[in-house]
Amino acid sequence: MTAVTFRTEGARLTGFSCRGHSGFAQAGEDIVCAAVTSAVRLTETVINEVLGLAATVRVREEEAFLSLRLPGGLSPETEETCQALLAGLMVYLAQLHEEYPAFVEVREEEAS
């Protein structure tokens, strides 16, 4: 199962972590894993490459793990854009969970 945990500080989404293979099908044929990976990588690319931010990204391919944490001190416009991106990712993954509940899990967790 792929587990995605979104981190929050109050109402602000601060980032997410994604761990595990969905197990829907064999590697290279797993449409659920491909959908999750594509959405997560697109979000990370927009935040870091398109918006030019320095979000902290950690990747451990051997563990099928990726995490992203937004930097602080963003301008109001950039913050709004990042919040929309992260909220959109959360909604998309929640929809995948509804379609494939045994293969994708989405959680929200208050950052400590």
Side-chain angles (χ1 to χ4, degrees):
M1 173 180 288
T2 300
V4 184
T5 303
F6 286 86
R7 304 273 189 265
T8 61
E9 289 178 358
R12 180 180 189 249
L13 290 165
T14 61
F16 62 87
S17 63
C18 181
R19 180 184 306 275
H21 292 287
S22 74
F24 179 76
Q26 292 182 353
E29 298 176 9
D30 192 330
I31 61 169
V32 176
C33 198
V36 171
T37 300
S38 179
V40 163
R41 294 305 302 228
L42 175 62
T43 302
E44 183 269 325
T45 299
V46 170
I47 288 170
N48 279 331
E49 304 300 324
V50 176
L51 296 175
L53 301 179
T56 303
V57 176
R58 292 188 176 92
V59 178
R60 293 191 300 268
E61 289 184 27
E62 66 280 357
E63 298 173 32
F65 175 83
L66 183 141
S67 69
L68 179 141
R69 181 166 172 83
L70 290 177
L74 300 176
S75 72
E77 181 179 279
T78 302
E79 178 70 29
E80 185 177 333
T81 300
C82 288
Q83 290 304 300
L85 284 167
L86 291 176
L89 177 64
M90 185 186 296
V91 168
Y92 173 74
L93 293 174
Q95 291 171 341
L96 274 179
H97 168 74
E98 289 176 14
E99 197 169 341
Y100 302 98
F103 303 101
V104 178
E105 180 176 74
V106 180
R107 297 176 254 189
E108 213 173 313
E109 184 176 279
E110 183 72 21
S112 51

